[in-house]
Amino acid sequence: LDEEEVLAAVLVLPALLGYSLERRVQPRVERTLAAGVDVRGVLRTITYTPAKFDAWLERQQQPTTARRAQPAARRAPPPRAQLGAAADGDAPSLSVVVPAFNEAERLPPVLRDSLRYLRDERAAGWELIVVDDGSTDGTADAVRGFGLSPELRLLRAARNGGKGAALRAGARAARGARLLLMDADGATPLAALPALERALDGGGARCGLATGSRAAVLAARPWRRQLMGRVFRALAATCVGGAVVDDTQCGFKLLTSTAARATLPHLRTTGWAYDVELIFLLRRLRYGVASAPVPWRDVAGSKVGAATPLAMAWDVARVAALYRLGVWPLPPDDGSAAAADDDGYEEITGDA
């Protein structure tokens, strides 16, 4: 984080509770940067009300301390990329992107069933892209075992970058007219795709995303899990400016190539809360969002840990503040942007 991001982040929670970002947060960020105050001390607490922040800033500016420093140069935003391009006659109708981290056990049956479905049901052309996000258990070898080809592709990173980063890399490599995001555990099978296609087709000309909804299944979970879900949905709705769908975190999502190109390569959130940033960007760029019920089952071996909900809440808060403050600029809605680096993800060919 640079200094401006730090200052915005510590003021996120009061902003979400009703403080105006433009009137109360942004002026304080600008005033602190202009004063050349060392902002490291602000990290000792998670949240500041405007009054407490003003008192902290006044203490930092007292001449009896030696805390003053020149503000750090603002980091340039990372370069951007478009989705992988192909000649019109060669582009598949569908790209399926599957992020995978240490999925050597769970991924093979999902790949087998998904490839069978695509070969039997999708005659119009398709590609399935597995993004190995720094796995250490032989996930890449498991994918190679199915035979890499133009239809089954493999991207790999030396180090784990997070689910959002893996999806961003997969989106940059995808060539399809539509892009499906799917979890490696197969909790929602690829056979549920027609439900999302109907929702996307029926959502209007500007509908850019159809996301699966697990609401009926999640309602049967223990009340503590349901409560956590309601709290996160409320936080997500605050971030995106109102409720859009009832299940932002379902990993089964279908996007048009235009909407995917305008959003996925530009994601800043590399972790689990990428879904909320994706919907935030779609709304800001005036794309429609639809949803459809999909089957879902809880598969053993989840990578979600005890600290994951806190990390997700923090990411959502950062999205809410940093875009609205202009620290993170919105991407162009036509997807036009400079070519980006590959974030360390490289495509593995059949000979590698």
Side-chain angles (χ1 to χ4, degrees), residues 6 16 23 34 37 60 67 69 72 98 117 138 146 157-158 160 170 180 191 215 268 274 292 313 332 341:
V6 168
L16 290 177
R23 291 190 300 107
V37 171
Q60 303 308 303
R67 300 170 186 167
V98 182
Y117 172 83
F146 286 84
N160 178 251
L180 178 73
R268 309 277 187 149
Y274 83 91
D341 57 30

Side-chain angles (χ1 to χ4, degrees), residues 150-173:
E151 291 181 331
L152 177 60
R153 301 168 60 192
L154 173 64
L155 304 182
R156 190 178 186 188
R159 292 186 296 179
N160 178 251
K163 186 176 182 180
L167 287 173
R168 185 172 60 203
R172 286 172 175 162

Side-chain angles (χ1 to χ4, degrees), residues 1-8 11 25-40 42 53 56-57 60-61 68-75 325-327:
L1 293 178
D2 62 22
E3 289 189 335
E4 190 170 350
E5 290 179 350
V6 168
L7 292 169
L11 285 161
V25 176
Q26 190 169 10
R28 287 171 169 81
V29 171
E30 294 172 351
R31 192 165 70 247
T32 306
L33 293 176
V37 171
D38 185 347
V39 304
R40 287 174 294 180
V42 81
F53 187 87
W56 175 86
L57 179 57
Q60 303 308 303
Q61 293 178 284
R68 298 193 180 210
Q70 292 298 318
R74 181 172 173 178
R75 183 180 59 216
L325 289 172
V327 178

Side-chain angles (χ1 to χ4, degrees), residues 6 20 33 40 43 67 130 145 157 193 196 227 243 290:
V6 168
S20 167
L33 293 176
R40 287 174 294 180
L43 293 176
R67 300 170 186 167
V130 177
L193 174 59
L196 296 191
L227 178 60

Side-chain angles (χ1 to χ4, degrees), residues 77-100:
R80 300 294 179 222
Q82 297 185 12
L83 290 172
D88 291 344
D90 297 332
S93 64
L94 176 70
S95 295
V96 181
V97 176
V98 182

